[in-house]
């Protein structure tokens, strides 16, 4: 078996001290969970806001891990939206992510990962919230990678 070092477009700036916003959809949560695990393992004190969108609780990969890792960090929160929640779920968290409903701290660095349409919407919301484009890092993670070539 051969292994390689981690790679990809979304890599946590480990030297940063400012707030971090991790935004994912579907299986795009995979690198975000890795970042959260690293932040928890190193005892990070910076503010961390982990935001995730999924179809429902049943399709939310790493759901319990997200809760556990944000619980290990002194200054972290998990914000979740479900398109089709099962059982009682807050109406304001049903449907697609709306980052304008969150109190985003100034000076944050945002990391986005998910399908291309999700990334476009989340990036537009962050730009509307005056997050500088240079502080938004994203990676397409999903079956629609080829759609980016057609846009």
């Amino acid at each position: 078996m051969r292994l390689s070092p981690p790679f990809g477009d979304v890599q946590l700036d480990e030297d940063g001290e400012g707030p971090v916003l991790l935004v994912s959809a579907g299986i795009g949560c995979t690198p975000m969970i890795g970042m959260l695990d690293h932040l928890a393992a190193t005892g990070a004190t910076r503010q961390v806001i982990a935001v995730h969108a999924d179809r429902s609780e049943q399709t939310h990969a790493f759901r319990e891990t997200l809760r556990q890792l944000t619980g290990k960090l002194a200054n972290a929160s998990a914000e979740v939206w479900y398109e089709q929640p099962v059982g009682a779920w807050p109406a304001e968290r049903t449907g697609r992510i709306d980052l304008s409903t969150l109190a985003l701290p100034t000076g944050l660095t945002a990391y986005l990962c998910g399908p291309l349409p999700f990334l476009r919407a989340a990036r537009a919301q962050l730009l509307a919230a005056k997050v500088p484009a240079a502080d938004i890092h994203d990676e397409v993670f999903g079956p629609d990678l080829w759609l980016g070539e057609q846009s």
Side-chain angles (χ1 to χ4, degrees):
M1 176 186 340
R2 297 183 81 137
L3 299 175
S4 71
F7 61 92
D9 295 330
V10 176
Q11 296 179 22
L12 180 67
D13 177 9
E14 296 180 32
D15 296 328
E17 295 180 11
V20 175
L21 176 66
L22 307 174
V23 184
S24 61
I27 199 62
C29 65
T30 304
M32 303 307 171
I33 291 295
M35 290 181 201
L36 278 172
D37 185 56
H38 173 76
L39 290 164
T42 59
T45 57
R46 62 202 294 192
Q47 182 178 4
V48 178
I49 304 169
V51 180
H52 183 71
D54 224 304
R55 293 195 193 286
S56 71
E57 298 91 321
Q58 287 86 2
T59 60
H60 182 170
F62 302 112
R63 181 178 184 215
E64 183 59 23
T65 305
L66 173 65
R67 188 191 66 73
Q68 289 173 354
L69 290 174
T70 54
K72 288 181 180 180
L73 291 162
N75 196 10
S77 65
E79 312 292 341
V80 179
W81 273 260
Y82 293 129
E83 287 183 30
Q84 302 163 352
V86 175
W89 188 256
E92 66 274 9
R93 294 296 173 92
T94 299
R96 302 193 179 226
I97 280 180
D98 182 358
L99 297 173
S100 72
T101 64
L102 302 177
L104 299 177
T106 58
L108 68 79
T109 301
Y111 300 91
L112 316 175
C113 192
L116 188 58
F118 167 81
L119 292 179
R120 287 181 176 151
R123 183 176 180 80
Q125 291 175 30
L126 291 172
L127 291 171
K130 307 294 185 217
V131 175
D135 294 334
I136 303 171
H137 310 281
D138 57 36
E139 180 173 358
V140 177
F141 212 77
D144 54 4
L145 293 172
W146 62 272
L147 287 174
E149 297 170 6
Q150 297 180 357
S151 301

Coordinates of all heavy atoms in Angstrom, one line a residue, residues 115-148:
P115 N -20.6 20.4 -3.0 CA -20.9 20.4 -4.4 C -20.8 21.8 -4.9 O -21.0 22.8 -4.2 CB -22.3 19.9 -4.5 CG -22.6 19.2 -3.2 CD -21.7 19.9 -2.2
L116 N -20.6 22.0 -6.2 CA -20.4 23.3 -6.9 C -21.5 24.2 -6.6 O -21.2 25.4 -6.3 CB -20.1 23.1 -8.3 CG -19.7 24.3 -9.1 CD1 -18.4 24.9 -8.5 CD2 -19.5 23.9 -10.6
P117 N -22.8 23.9 -6.8 CA -23.8 24.9 -6.6 C -23.9 25.4 -5.1 O -24.1 26.6 -4.9 CB -25.1 24.1 -6.9 CG -24.7 23.0 -7.8 CD -23.3 22.6 -7.3
F118 N -23.6 24.5 -4.2 CA -23.5 24.9 -2.8 C -22.4 25.9 -2.6 O -22.5 26.9 -1.9 CB -23.3 23.6 -1.9 CG -22.9 24.0 -0.5 CD1 -23.8 24.3 0.4 CD2 -21.5 23.9 -0.1 CE1 -23.4 24.6 1.7 CE2 -21.1 24.2 1.2 CZ -22.1 24.6 2.1
L119 N -21.2 25.6 -3.2 CA -20.1 26.5 -3.0 C -20.4 27.9 -3.5 O -20.0 28.9 -2.9 CB -18.8 25.9 -3.7 CG -18.2 24.7 -3.1 CD1 -17.0 24.2 -3.9 CD2 -17.8 24.9 -1.7
R120 N -21.0 27.9 -4.7 CA -21.3 29.2 -5.3 C -22.3 30.0 -4.4 O -22.1 31.2 -4.2 CB -22.0 29.0 -6.6 CG -21.0 28.6 -7.7 CD -21.7 28.4 -9.0 NE -20.7 28.1 -10.1 CZ -21.0 27.4 -11.1 NH1 -22.2 26.9 -11.3 NH2 -20.1 27.1 -12.0
A121 N -23.3 29.4 -3.8 CA -24.2 30.0 -2.9 C -23.6 30.5 -1.6 O -23.7 31.6 -1.2 CB -25.4 29.1 -2.6
A122 N -22.8 29.6 -1.0 CA -22.1 30.0 0.2 C -21.1 31.1 0.0 O -21.0 32.0 0.8 CB -21.4 28.7 0.8
R123 N -20.3 31.0 -1.0 CA -19.4 32.1 -1.3 C -20.1 33.4 -1.5 O -19.6 34.5 -1.0 CB -18.5 31.7 -2.6 CG -17.5 32.7 -2.9 CD -16.6 32.2 -4.1 NE -15.6 33.1 -4.4 CZ -14.4 33.2 -3.8 NH1 -14.1 32.5 -2.8 NH2 -13.5 34.1 -4.2
A124 N -21.2 33.4 -2.3 CA -21.9 34.7 -2.5 C -22.4 35.2 -1.2 O -22.4 36.5 -1.0 CB -23.1 34.4 -3.5
Q125 N -22.9 34.4 -0.3 CA -23.4 34.8 1.0 C -22.2 35.5 1.8 O -22.4 36.5 2.5 CB -24.0 33.7 1.8 CG -25.3 33.2 1.2 CD -25.9 32.0 1.9 OE1 -25.7 31.8 3.1 NE2 -26.6 31.2 1.2
L126 N -21.1 34.9 1.8 CA -19.9 35.4 2.5 C -19.5 36.7 1.9 O -19.2 37.7 2.7 CB -18.8 34.4 2.6 CG -19.0 33.2 3.4 CD1 -17.9 32.1 3.2 CD2 -19.2 33.5 4.9
L127 N -19.4 36.8 0.6 CA -19.1 38.1 0.0 C -20.1 39.2 0.4 O -19.7 40.3 0.6 CB -19.0 37.9 -1.5 CG -17.8 37.1 -2.0 CD1 -17.9 36.8 -3.5 CD2 -16.4 37.7 -1.6
A128 N -21.4 38.8 0.4 CA -22.4 39.8 0.8 C -22.2 40.2 2.2 O -22.6 41.4 2.6 CB -23.8 39.2 0.6
A129 N -21.7 39.4 3.0 CA -21.4 39.7 4.5 C -20.1 40.4 4.6 O -19.6 40.6 5.8 CB -21.4 38.4 5.3
K130 N -19.5 40.8 3.5 CA -18.2 41.6 3.5 C -17.0 40.8 3.9 O -16.0 41.4 4.4 CB -18.3 42.9 4.4 CG -19.5 43.7 4.0 CD -19.4 44.3 2.6 CE -20.6 45.3 2.4 NZ -21.0 45.3 1.0
V131 N -17.0 39.5 3.8 CA -15.8 38.7 4.0 C -15.0 38.8 2.8 O -15.5 38.6 1.7 CB -16.2 37.2 4.3 CG1 -14.9 36.3 4.4 CG2 -17.0 37.0 5.5
P132 N -13.7 39.3 2.9 CA -12.9 39.5 1.7 C -12.7 38.1 1.0 O -12.5 37.1 1.5 CB -11.5 39.9 2.3 CG -11.9 40.5 3.7 CD -13.1 39.7 4.1
A133 N -12.7 38.2 -0.4 CA -12.6 37.1 -1.2 C -11.3 36.3 -0.9 O -11.3 35.1 -1.0 CB -12.6 37.5 -2.7
A134 N -10.2 37.0 -0.6 CA -9.0 36.4 -0.3 C -9.0 35.5 1.0 O -8.2 34.6 1.2 CB -7.9 37.4 -0.1
D135 N -10.0 35.7 1.8 CA -10.2 34.9 3.1 C -11.2 33.8 2.9 O -11.6 33.2 3.9 CB -10.6 35.9 4.2 CG -9.5 36.9 4.5 OD1 -8.3 36.6 4.3 OD2 -9.9 38.0 5.1
I136 N -11.6 33.5 1.7 CA -12.5 32.4 1.4 C -11.8 31.4 0.6 O -11.4 31.7 -0.5 CB -13.8 32.9 0.7 CG1 -14.5 34.0 1.5 CG2 -14.8 31.7 0.5 CD1 -15.6 34.7 0.7
H137 N -11.7 30.2 1.1 CA -11.0 29.1 0.5 C -12.0 28.0 0.2 O -12.7 27.6 1.1 CB -9.8 28.6 1.3 CG -9.0 29.7 1.8 ND1 -8.0 30.2 1.0 CD2 -8.9 30.3 3.0 CE1 -7.4 31.2 1.7 NE2 -7.9 31.3 2.9
D138 N -12.1 27.5 -1.0 CA -13.1 26.4 -1.3 C -12.6 25.3 -2.1 O -11.5 25.4 -2.8 CB -14.3 27.1 -1.9 CG -14.1 27.8 -3.2 OD1 -13.2 27.4 -4.0 OD2 -14.7 28.8 -3.4
E139 N -13.3 24.2 -2.0 CA -12.9 23.0 -2.8 C -14.2 22.3 -3.2 O -15.1 22.0 -2.3 CB -12.0 22.1 -2.0 CG -11.6 20.8 -2.7 CD -10.6 20.0 -2.0 OE1 -10.1 20.4 -0.9 OE2 -10.3 18.9 -2.5
V140 N -14.4 22.0 -4.5 CA -15.5 21.2 -4.9 C -15.3 19.7 -4.4 O -14.2 19.2 -4.6 CB -15.6 21.2 -6.4 CG1 -16.8 20.3 -6.9 CG2 -15.9 22.6 -6.9
F141 N -16.3 19.2 -3.8 CA -16.3 17.9 -3.3 C -17.6 17.2 -3.6 O -18.6 17.5 -2.9 CB -16.1 18.0 -1.8 CG -15.3 16.9 -1.1 CD1 -13.9 16.8 -1.2 CD2 -15.9 15.9 -0.4 CE1 -13.2 15.8 -0.6 CE2 -15.2 14.9 0.2 CZ -13.8 14.9 0.1
G142 N -17.7 16.5 -4.7 CA -18.9 15.9 -5.0 C -18.9 15.4 -6.5 O -17.9 15.5 -7.2
P143 N -20.0 14.8 -6.9 CA -20.1 14.2 -8.2 C -20.2 15.2 -9.4 O -20.1 14.8 -10.5 CB -21.4 13.4 -8.1 CG -22.2 14.1 -7.2 CD -21.3 14.6 -6.1
D144 N -20.3 16.4 -9.1 CA -20.5 17.4 -10.1 C -19.2 18.2 -10.5 O -19.3 19.3 -10.9 CB -21.6 18.4 -9.8 CG -21.5 19.0 -8.4 OD1 -20.4 18.8 -7.8 OD2 -22.4 19.7 -8.0
L145 N -18.0 17.6 -10.3 CA -16.8 18.3 -10.6 C -16.7 18.8 -12.0 O -16.3 19.9 -12.3 CB -15.6 17.4 -10.3 CG -15.3 17.0 -8.9 CD1 -14.2 15.9 -8.9 CD2 -14.9 18.2 -8.1
W146 N -17.3 18.0 -12.9 CA -17.2 18.4 -14.4 C -18.1 19.6 -14.7 O -17.9 20.3 -15.7 CB -17.6 17.2 -15.2 CG -19.1 16.8 -15.0 CD1 -19.5 15.9 -14.0 CD2 -20.2 17.2 -15.6 NE1 -20.8 15.7 -14.1 CE2 -21.3 16.5 -15.0 CE3 -20.5 18.1 -16.6 CZ2 -22.6 16.8 -15.4 CZ3 -21.8 18.3 -17.0 CH2 -22.9 17.6 -16.4
L147 N -19.1 19.9 -13.8 CA -19.9 21.1 -14.0 C -19.1 22.4 -14.0 O -19.5 23.3 -14.7 CB -21.0 21.2 -13.0 CG -22.2 20.1 -13.1 CD1 -23.1 20.3 -11.9 CD2 -22.9 20.3 -14.4
G148 N -18.1 22.4 -13.3 CA -17.2 23.6 -13.2 C -16.6 24.0 -14.6 O -16.4 25.1 -14.9

